[in-house]
Amino acid sequence: MKNRLRVLRAENRWSQADLAEKLGVSRQAVNAIETGKHDPSLTLAFALAETFGQSIEEIFCPKEQNN
Amino acid sequence: MKNRLRVLRAENRWSQADLAEKLGVSRQAVNAIETGKHDPSLTLAFALAETFGQSIEEIFCPKEQNN
DNA sequence: TTAATATGTAATGTTAGCCTTACATTATGT
DNA sequence: ACATAATGTAAGGCTAACATTACATATTAA
């Protein structure tokens, strides 16, 4: 699933490790989500939404959107 | 995580099996989510949101909300 | 350039979210 | 009352989403 994490993280000037710490997950988990290897759990998606002050729908895009 | 699935399903007069079929998951998966045994995957949460025409945030409540 | 930081990824393990099958119980309708 | 539909749950299996540790490769800063 596509997401805007890299951009949101850049806007806040947070490293993957910074974000991981805020979320209480491993840096590898953040990396895997950002690079599209995993989808986050719903709980983690909520945590990301709260961290960035945006809705889950604003951060994640479930549709295959062929570009 | 708390959710409003039972109510939303009742409003639409759908059985768990009906909803499961619309979502493309098993009836047991719907039951487990409804009864709080599992959280849905983010993908399934998006599908539920679309099915009920509501946002994920309107359907699910991640906070422990004591009562 | 060198050192520090950031990112990507691999290996291995655990758990949670799905599956199927099956059965018990509860609710609904005739 | 009886048959059907709906719900709850259990067992057993599979995979994805986490974890930890470790290492390689950027990237940044002094």
Side-chain angles (χ1 to χ4, degrees):
Chain A
M1 179 173 333
K2 293 284 178 61
N3 69 73
R4 303 197 307 119
L5 290 185
R6 188 168 298 261
V7 168
L8 292 172
R9 196 168 54 74
E11 286 175 359
N12 287 274
R13 301 194 180 176
W14 293 336
S15 69
Q16 292 180 348
D18 291 336
L19 178 56
E21 189 174 11
K22 290 175 194 299
L23 296 168
V25 299
S26 70
R27 176 180 70 80
Q28 285 78 357
V30 168
N31 183 275
I33 293 165
E34 220 178 83
T35 59
K37 291 190 177 58
H38 292 324
D39 293 333
S41 67
L42 183 56
T43 297
L44 184 49
F46 266 107
L48 282 159
E50 182 162 32
T51 298
F52 288 117
Q54 299 194 8
S55 70
I56 291 173
E57 286 82 354
E58 285 170 328
I59 300 177
F60 293 95
C61 178
K63 314 260 179 175
E64 281 309 312
Q65 82 186 3
N66 3 333
N67 21 229
Chain B
M1 176 170 342
K2 293 281 179 64
N3 68 73
R4 302 198 309 118
L5 291 185
R6 187 168 299 262
V7 168
L8 293 171
R9 197 168 52 74
E11 286 175 358
N12 288 275
R13 301 193 179 178
W14 293 337
S15 68
Q16 292 180 348
D18 291 336
L19 178 55
E21 189 174 11
K22 290 174 195 299
L23 296 167
V25 300
S26 70
R27 177 181 68 82
Q28 286 77 357
V30 169
N31 182 274
I33 293 165
E34 222 178 81
T35 59
K37 291 191 176 58
H38 292 323
D39 294 333
S41 67
L42 184 55
T43 297
L44 184 49
F46 267 107
L48 281 160
E50 182 161 31
T51 298
F52 288 117
Q54 299 194 8
S55 70
I56 291 173
E57 287 83 355
E58 286 170 328
I59 299 178
F60 293 94
C61 179
K63 315 258 180 175
E64 281 308 314
Q65 84 185 359
N66 8 332
N67 71 161

